[in-house]
Structure formats: structure tokens, C-alpha cells
């Protein structure tokens, strides 16, 4: 079932990827991939962007990146609230 989301959630778990990235992502290391629990209850995998990847942590509140900036990334992308 599809539903509309408010675009907000929290990080359940995450991984900072520093090496072995595909060429499309190599210049953006570290890339943070996270399991996001959106406020409506669903879980999804997404990218998290932040000026300092070291501040990203579990339970961090995040919001979906809006267009047109989101079009730059091939995955759903969130940023800290």
C-alpha cells in the first residue's frame, strides 16, 4: 500500500562508507546510508547528508531533502532536522 509521508523520521541505524564506493559517489566520501523510521511507521533505506558526517547518530531526527536539490542524489536523501 502506498501512502503520503510528511518526510520526517529518525535514524534507526547507519553506516559511514569511506572506501570502495562506486565511481559516482567517490568524490562524496564519506557516504552515510541509514535505516530511517519515518513518522508514519514505515522503515526505509536512504542516504543522509550533512556537512560533518561524524555528527550523525542513531535516533537523530531527519527530514527528506526537497526538490530540486534531491534530484542530485539517486537514492531518497535525508538531512538532520
Amino acid at each position: 500500500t502506498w501512502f503520503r509521508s510528511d518526510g520526517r523520521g529518525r535514524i534507526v541505524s547507519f553506516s559511514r562508507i569511506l572506501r570502495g564506493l562506486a565511481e559516482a559517489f567517490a568524490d562524496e566520501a564519506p557516504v552515510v546510508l541509514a535505516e530511517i523510521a519515518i513518522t508514519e511507521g514505515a522503515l526505509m533505506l536512504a542516504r543522509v547528508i550533512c556537512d560533518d558526517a561524524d555528527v550523525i547518530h542513531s535516533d537523530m531526527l531527519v527530514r527528506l531533502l526537497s526538490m530540486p536539490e534531491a534530484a542530485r542524489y539517486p537514492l531518497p536523501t535525508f538531512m538532520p532536522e
Side-chain angles (χ1 to χ4, degrees):
T1 303
W2 290 93
F3 59 89
R4 189 167 296 278
S5 170
D6 70 1
R8 298 190 184 314
R10 67 175 179 81
I11 296 174
V12 175
S13 65
F14 69 97
S15 180
R16 278 186 211 99
I17 303 166
L18 304 169
R19 303 184 269 184
L21 292 163
E23 188 175 324
F25 300 105
D27 291 338
E28 299 180 26
V31 170
V32 177
L33 297 179
E35 179 182 15
I36 307 288
I38 60 173
T39 55
E40 293 78 14
L43 294 172
M44 64 184 299
L45 293 178
R47 183 171 180 183
V48 178
I49 60 167
C50 184
D51 290 336
D52 181 2
D54 289 335
V55 302
I56 295 172
H57 59 85
S58 294
D59 288 328
M60 176 180 261
L61 297 176
V62 292
R63 67 176 174 82
L64 190 63
L65 196 63
S66 59
M67 293 299 233
E69 190 177 7
R72 177 175 172 226
Y73 303 100
L75 297 171
T77 303
F78 286 76
M79 62 188 303
E81 280 269 71

